Amino acid sequence: MRVITVEGGRRLRGELTVQGAKNSVLPILAAAVLSGGVCVIENCPPLEDVEASAAILRHLGCRVSREGETLTVDSSTLSGWEIPDALMRRMRSSVIFLGAILGRCGRAELSYPGGCELGPRPIDIHLAALRALGARIDECGGRLQCQGGLLGTEIVLPLPSVGATENAMLAACGARGVTVISNAAREPEIVDLQGFLRAMGAAVRGAGSATVIVEGGRPLHGCRHRCIGDRIAAATYLSAAAAAGGDVVLRGVDYRHVSTVTTVLRQAGCCVSCDEACIRLQSRGVLRGVSPIRTSPYPGFPTDAQAVVMAALLRSHGTTMFVENMFQSRYRHVGELLRMGADIRSEGRVAVLCGVPRLSGAAVRCTDLRGGAALVVAGLQADGITQVEEIRHIKRGYGDLTGDLARLGAAIQETER
Ligand code: EPU
């Protein structure tokens, strides 16, 4: 079993280029199905979830190759429209292939996506959006059988779901006529997906606002696209430096995409400066509690940064309240942090953290991707050694968390136990 071992107490210092955004790369890889040509996609980190997407593309008959951080997908050889259960279960965002395959082939068959550690994650909004476009979807024995000559329409999402917005955009590219998606998610990853679709020749506008408009039916072609930097990986490294103390410069990520996180870290006592090229954070490693942190859709505070910021504040002076509004079960890391001496009480959507003077290293277990990263952030500021188990969760979303933190001066390594 592979584990991450961290010895706390080292300050972090130096520069890092942040990886490409997992949550951009995954829908963009699905979107490549629509192209029918060769798409060269840059800034794709080597993650388990990216490999799972590549496996689905290969199963569908696409050619996929990697050179460094660049993936080339040739979907001219696409030969199938169904995804087997074993591939669907590997990750949640496999469901985004539904809109892409339906948009390209007029039919698709797949099963429900992988179960999730964050609580129930239904796909009802995805399915309603595709049905509005004219897809017939039969749910039979856990399989979704979808058919449809899609027609542009007005889709009003009941909540701004990231995945449902992406699925609707992809299917709408293959629909005849104009589709207007209202109450769309406004995440930077939606804007990135729009950029990719436009590079393929699609007529999409409005991403980043609550209304996305797609003029479907355009002939699409291959393209070259560079994915944006990962704002959640950036939030993780900023939280790590805030907690451990030090002086860290991050490149490759748009500072505007992490402004809610940097605002919190400034309030906690860090000095953060940003320009077009980089984000710099300086911390003495002594933080204070902050105003309540409420997660919400972009541009609000990201649910994906809740765990790592909580970990950064474990030794802060004072109290901080967290309200998790996005997922039902996103405090599973709390139980592990308690093993290290943290003082956090959570009930339902709320967690209250009281800073403690010291944390002690312990054997802890990742409960999910971001919760796992939070344990590493906690370990950087704990006395003694923290051993983090079940690190497969971390590998789903971070290309080299251990190596990146080691390059910044942390005493951290990944070993076989
Ligand atoms: N929801 C429904 N029905 C649906 C779709 C969503 O009820 O059909 C609910 C969800 O259960 C959740 C809320 O709506 O309570 C928001 O979910 P959303 O659909 O926006 O999330 P997602 O597309 O499944 C993406 C990210 C997540 C991130 C969320 C929220 C990707 C691949 N995943 O998920 O990232 O937490 O948006 O910002 O883009 C992560 O990277 O660790 C991660 C979990």
Side-chain angles (χ1 to χ4, degrees), residues 22-24 26-27 49 92-93 95-96 116-127 158-166 185 187 189 230-232 296-298 302-304 325-328 330 349 368-370 396-397:
K22 166 181 82 83
N23 291 347
S24 268
L26 301 180
D49 280 7
R92 158 88 186 173
S93 44
V95 72
I96 310 299
C116 180
E117 311 88 27
L118 311 180
R121 288 174 80 178
I123 56 168
D124 54 321
I125 302 174
H126 300 241
L127 300 185
L159 56 87
S161 155
V162 174
T165 302
E166 293 164 347
E187 268 69 2
E189 292 77 17
D230 194 317
R231 61 195 168 98
I232 306 302
S296 61
Y298 192 85
T303 173
D304 293 342
N325 292 311
M326 301 300 293
F327 290 104
Q328 259 179 39
R330 215 161 189 187
R349 294 191 175 279
D368 60 272
L369 166 57
R370 308 301 172 186
R396 284 191 31 233

